[in-house]
Amino acid sequence: MKRIYMDHSGTTPIDPRVLEAMMPFLTEKFANPSSIYTEGREVRASLDQARVQVAKALNADAGEITFTSGGTESDNLGIKGIALGRKEKGGHIITTTIEHHAVTHTVDYLGENGFDISFLPVNKYGQVELETLENEIRDDTFLLSLVYGNNEIGTIQDMRDIVKLAHKHDVLVHTDAVQAVAKIPIDVKDLGVDLLSLSGHKIYGPKGIGALYARKGLRLAAVQHGGGHEKNLRSGTENVAGVIGLGKAMEIGEIGLTTEIPRVKAMRDRLVKCILSELEDSYLNGHPEKRLPHNAHFRFSYIEGEALLLNLDMMGIVASTGSACSSKSLKASHVLLAIGLTPEQAHGSLRLTLGKGNTDEEIDTVLEAVPKVVKKLRAMSPLGHGGGK
Amino acid sequence: MYSEKVMDHFMNPRNVGEMKDADGVGEVGNPTCGDLMKIYIKVENGIITNVMFQTFGCGAAIATSSMITELAKGKTIDEALKLTRDDVAEELDGLPPIKMHCSNLSADALRAAIEDYRKKNPGK
């Protein structure tokens, strides 16, 4: 049975073109880019070229890109780098209740170390409202960190307006764009964001590589110290093959915005429409329009997500859930609770994130399988009923 | 993470459904925690002749419910009362440690069903 992979927000396979670009740097072109002999200089040149590729896809300058080990490190470097790079001690940081743990736990750490942290609530779609933000900004607020496209429910923030408001109050804006890059067009100059995190393995690049965009002129402290790589911001011999792969993945991703993404979005739209009309007491979490084009996040009453996910797994369909029962902590997803769902409602969630490899035939299969499984579980549930319309 | 036996009972649960003429019904858990189990029993001459279940919950919750129905069927009430959470887990070739407490409620639900039966039939 061919497996149907619909967890592209979890991770993606490496694009063959990306792998091809990387291969020489895993084999013959192994020199350390810091070495001054010919082989080293050649690798350095390729590394610089990849930096240009990443910058170009974001409309940034190459000097504004720092390579990291991934989204988590980029979030750490962006947030801690700004907080610890300030002349003043302490101060106020604003973030939201729907961030990835890479942001939440980073600001928690700063909160334990002399900074004040506020978590902004979001509306039922998972969006930050401008009025809520403005009320939270204080004289000593220096940073707002806000996820651009949410990894669970897919909601996209009105980033341009948010940045404008933050800048009016001299507050810098960091955004975790790990899920948004190569899904929606991103122009850092147009958005106005000061810092932006991205990751390789969410965009058909390799794992273990990411980047932080930091606008020219910002003062950042290093989080990892050592030999002074990446302009002293991130020491450690460069993950050369990873960097080359990320550059290629960004280049392919940008082209895909006009070729691949419309196809993915059409499949996603059909999936959502058919599931919601086929099953009663089913809902779409997140914003109906302002959402990542590959994300479908459902909620089904009377059933639990882990059971749903495992049934789909047995039918060859790979999905994800925000149910507490599938998490190590046994707590429901903080994002689902933040948009106002009760723990009971959060249990019945299902995330399907589509990608390049998916086909219309696969959507047909999923459209048959999901209602079947939901009805099977509802028939077992003391809360529910048959469930069909 | 789950044993083959858990997956079998989860994918092909035994004795699912509501028993309209049950002699005893037991319900444990709550939907907020993600697990709610209902066990129905039919009792004749002190022997549990039929057991059915309805469960809202994860794979482990469904598998343990299915397993208790098999374990309890044919047993006397006194024998059935001796069934523990550990017995259920053992019969399923083990459960992930994290699921031992939250989802392994079926022995409790069976006990609640027997108590309900005894309340309705004093002296039995």
Side-chain angles (χ1 to χ4, degrees), chain A residues 123-127 153-156 265 268-269 272 276 284-293 295:
Chain A
N123 65 21
K124 66 175 177 175
Y125 298 119
Q127 289 190 300
I153 56 173
T155 297
I156 297 169
K265 183 175 182 296
R268 191 277 314 269
D269 289 345
V272 170
L276 294 184
L284 183 72
N285 291 323
H287 199 284
E289 285 105 35
K290 292 175 184 176
R291 67 185 300 129
L292 296 172
N295 172 298

Side-chain angles (χ1 to χ4, degrees), chain A residues 4 6 8 34 47 70 87 99 108 122 236 245 266:
Chain A
I4 298 178
M6 289 203 177
H8 289 84
S34 296
L47 213 130
K87 291 190 195 92
E99 299 302 311
D108 280 345
V122 292

